[in-house]
Amino acid sequence: MPIFGHIASYRPGDLFENRLALSLVGMHRPRRAGVSGTQAEGADSIVLAGAYEDDEFAEEEIIYSGSGGRDLRTGRQVTNQEMTGRNLALRRSQETGRPVRVLHKVRHEGREMFRYEGLFRVTKHYFAQGKAGFQVLKFHLVPFPT
């Protein structure tokens, strides 16, 4: 069952060694997918890991590219994205207003780690032409009010 909000005593700024560590403590359950959640309940967490070239991260706003349309071998966007699968979970989060935990792959002391950025909410979504020329879903997230 998904948890919408902080997990245990973990707080923004906490670092995690890898995706397995995120999964084991419940911060982000899927070990590969960037979105955790369902169409029915919404997304409880997302990971910005540098896989999508159209992602943008800033303290006050995140533009998170939807999933899909990438070549699994090269990582390049090769087709338009669609409002299906995990993208529907993010849209549901926008509808419900529930918080989404955001984790971000960062370099820390020479190693790649995952930093917990805190709770955000999805404020809007739309299709736009991505850097590779294909239609990409863009989800805007802002810090969740405390």
Side-chain angles (χ1 to χ4, degrees), residues 1 6 8 12 20 31-32 42 45 53 65-66 73-74 78-80 86 111 114 116 126 137 139 143:
M1 177 164 212
H6 294 298
L20 178 59
R31 294 185 183 174
R32 292 188 54 100
S45 63
E53 64 186 356
S65 302
R73 280 189 347 244
T74 66
V78 294
T79 63
N80 294 331
R86 297 182 188 280
R111 298 183 325 192
F114 292 88
Y116 179 35
Y126 54 89
L137 269 160
F139 293 90

Side-chain angles (χ1 to χ4, degrees), residues 89-128:
L90 284 163
R91 185 177 75 184
R92 183 70 178 143
S93 290
Q94 179 184 341
E95 294 166 356
T96 66
R98 287 180 172 156
V100 178
R101 286 183 305 284
V102 173
L103 298 126
H104 188 203
K105 189 178 194 177
V106 297
R107 290 210 57 85
H108 179 75
E109 297 178 357
R111 298 183 325 192
E112 288 189 339
M113 299 185 80
F114 292 88
R115 183 177 59 216
Y116 179 35
E117 300 296 342
L119 301 177
F120 284 71
R121 66 184 173 94
V122 181
T123 59
K124 63 183 174 179
H125 72 277
Y126 54 89
F127 281 99

